[in-house]
Amino acid sequence: MAQAPACVLVIFGASGDLARRKLIPAVYDLAREGLLHERTLVVGVARTALDNDSFRAVCREGAASFSRGRSVDPALWDLLAPRIHYVTTDYGSADDFSRLDDMIRSLVGRCGGADNRLYYLSTPPAAFAPIIRNIGKLLADRGAAQDQVPWQRVIIEKPFGYDAPSARALNDLLHAYFPEESVFRIDHYLGKETVQNLMVLRFANSIFEPIWNYKYIDHVQITVAETLGVGDRGGYYDQSGALRDMVQNHIFQLMALVAMEPPAALDAQSIRDEKVKVFRSIRPVHPQQAERYFVRGQYGAGEAAGVRTAGYLKEKGVATGSVTETFVAAKIFIDNWRWSGTPFYLRTGKFLPRKISEVVVRFRSPPQTLFQKQCESPVYPNDLVIRVQPDEGLSWRLNGKVPGGQLNIKPVAMDFLYRTTFNVEPPDAYERLILDGMLGDQTLFIRGDEAEAAWAVIDPVEKGWARAKTPPQEYAPGTWGPKKANDLIELDGRRWMHSGDEAQPIIACAL
């Protein structure tokens, strides 16, 4: 990887949990890897009253607890700490932003760096608009041209809008001050090694591309499961729900990379062009069809993973009688030549049995002519399991003969794990994404029309749920969601698969 140019990383919301657990540790790891320019500055901005020393102490604790090595090299920290600064700022105050701008210019002048700026908006969505407007005012006052050096870029955390109109309005606001080439909409899943490996898996291996279509693939499953509830985020989550919080971004991004056509080149525009085509090819789900193709659930009282809950409706910040879903399962069709008639089953939820994020590509069953008379049951189909977390890697599930005189068939796995194959821990997603933002590489970020196209799929479902006025089906913590989620796939003659399940039984066949 190329070293990033000297710049100023301005983190709005720097006193928050994301900055402490992810952003600052990522900056430290970049410095440890020699990828952070020695004159790069970090300026934390938030409403919380802190001084430089207090903020540096918070950053050091975050780096020690959450960096890849889970430790801090004192010599490296002594070099990095003087470049970390903090400014208490009211996001709506133009005067505060003017003082922030003056301070940054002074710091750059003293260190002899460059006044390139990467603004990172790690704040609640309500703060996006005032921050963007005040940054835009600074650019206008300075007469800054976006196609000149120093450059000005902005990274925005999800959620990017609440629906298609709000996403479009946010795009319009950004484009009033920044060209699209300077806007980086972040989805941290795209920074994960396994997700990046999807394109290599598909397009650098000739055994997969010829069979990556409806003729050989029966269906695709994508699961993003969490073992905990909403915790202290009940107020935020109740305004969002699983469909907006997880499906529209994380799961749809995984689906797009699985389903996309080969790009013309490995550049940001070519890759994102193909992802947009996937979203625009999704078969529309009209509001009256929402409950047929999308299942929603809400966890009730119970215990899972040692955590007891009185149920979602009793969580702090959740409105009385809320119908916000904590679980979603969906069946989606991509109406193009490659995926004609192939269902994509998606699911995500809180308080599920295991924390996993994975894609399962299930291939069609082999012809049973050789085995249908001798075997007690059909031979299992092959699965390609792409595990995003935990234990990032791939598992290719085949059928093999059990040693011995009997013709017994058993599914076996050929596994590839990043940790054991390369003897390194994969870089954290934010480490890669912050570096790409500094380098100006948008490949792993979401384009404006891409975000709007994804919302266009989700909005009719939300409207359908609102019209139906049917509450989400309750499910017990520690289970895989409501019964309707199983019906969604089992009535099609299929079943959900989870990596790490008990081994499949041996199929006994008579010789």
Side-chain angles (χ1 to χ4, degrees), residues 425-484:
E425 183 179 355
D428 183 79
Y430 284 94
E431 186 179 337
R432 173 64 188 272
L433 294 170
I434 289 175
L435 178 62
D436 281 356
M438 292 177 174
L439 292 170
D441 185 346
Q442 294 182 300
T443 304
L444 302 180
F445 294 85
I446 298 171
R447 203 167 63 191
D449 59 341
E450 189 179 342
E452 292 180 30
W455 278 119
V457 178
I458 296 299
D459 286 357
V461 178
E462 291 283 0
K463 290 178 182 177
W465 283 350
R467 291 177 187 175
K469 298 181 180 179
T470 305
Q473 187 178 13
E474 184 176 299
Y475 64 94
T479 66
W480 284 105
K483 180 181 181 298
K484 287 182 179 179

Side-chain angles (χ1 to χ4, degrees), residues 374-395:
Q374 291 90 352
C375 298
E376 296 177 353
S377 62
V379 177
Y380 295 110
N382 302 134
D383 294 312
L384 178 63
V385 182
I386 303 160
R387 191 174 299 106
V388 178
Q389 66 178 16
D391 300 325
E392 294 182 76
L394 308 171
S395 183

Side-chain angles (χ1 to χ4, degrees), residues 248-266:
Q248 185 271 340
N249 40 74
H250 297 331
I251 293 182
F252 269 18
Q253 287 297 317
L254 289 173
M255 180 182 69
L257 290 170
V258 171
M260 64 186 278
E261 294 298 316
L266 293 176

Side-chain angles (χ1 to χ4, degrees), residues 150-360:
W151 48 255
Q152 312 277 312
R153 299 176 186 141
V154 59
I155 295 180
I156 300 183
E157 275 284 345
K158 78 175 186 71
F160 192 82
Y162 184 78
D163 51 19
S166 61
R168 194 173 303 115
L170 186 51
N171 277 333
D172 291 343
L173 176 62
L174 283 162
H175 292 157
Y177 306 107
F178 295 91
E180 179 62 29
E181 293 73 21
S182 297
V183 179
F184 293 70
R185 300 166 191 82
I186 196 169
D187 185 327
H188 72 272
Y189 264 52
L190 294 179
K192 293 181 177 293
E193 283 292 331
T194 310
V195 175
Q196 296 175 50
N197 197 44
L198 264 170
M199 286 197 297
V200 176
L201 173 76
R202 288 190 53 193
F203 305 130
N205 295 286
S206 59
I207 62 171
F208 289 122
E209 183 55 27
I211 60 173
W212 206 264
N213 55 61
Y214 73 94
K215 294 180 181 179
Y216 299 97
I217 293 176
D218 179 77
H219 69 278
V220 176
Q221 300 178 22
I222 302 178
T223 297
V224 178
E226 300 177 78
T227 56
L228 299 177
V230 298
D232 295 331
R233 298 173 66 240
Y236 159 76
Y237 196 88
D238 205 43
Q239 302 300 314
S240 175
L243 186 62
R244 290 188 173 103
D245 188 50
M246 295 296 290
V247 176
Q248 185 271 340
N249 40 74
H250 297 331
I251 293 182
F252 269 18
Q253 287 297 317
L254 289 173
M255 180 182 69
L257 290 170
V258 171
M260 64 186 278
E261 294 298 316
L266 293 176
D267 59 69
Q269 179 173 333
S270 299
I271 291 171
R272 298 192 295 181
D273 282 348
E274 298 304 331
K275 287 162 63 183
V276 170
K277 290 178 186 177
V278 171
F279 296 134
R280 291 176 176 168
S281 298
I282 292 175
R283 183 182 301 173
V285 175
H286 301 291
Q288 61 268 28
Q289 300 173 308
E291 295 195 319
R292 177 181 175 187
Y293 291 102
F294 283 75
V295 173
R296 54 178 174 162
Q298 190 182 84
Y299 64 81
E303 183 176 343
V307 177
R308 173 162 288 280
T309 177
Y312 176 74
L313 294 177
K314 301 293 185 181
E315 299 283 17
K316 181 180 178 181
V318 173
T320 302
S322 171
V323 293
T324 298
E325 74 285 355
T326 63
F327 176 95
V328 171
K331 179 168 66 173
I332 282 177
F333 291 93
I334 298 172
D335 286 338
N336 60 21
W337 185 271
R338 182 182 294 268
W339 298 110
S340 176
T342 304
F344 283 68
Y345 297 98
L346 320 175
R347 65 174 173 172
T348 183
K350 303 283 189 182
F351 266 130
L352 300 184
R354 283 197 300 280
K355 182 177 178 62
I356 57 172
S357 297
E358 68 181 18
V359 178
V360 178

Side-chain angles (χ1 to χ4, degrees), residues 86-106:
Y86 184 86
V87 183
T88 302
T89 301
D90 180 349
Y91 299 147
S93 170
D95 290 340
D96 279 6
F97 272 74
S98 181
R99 284 191 289 271
L100 171 64
D101 183 52
D102 290 341
M103 190 204 78
I104 291 174
R105 290 205 226 182
S106 175

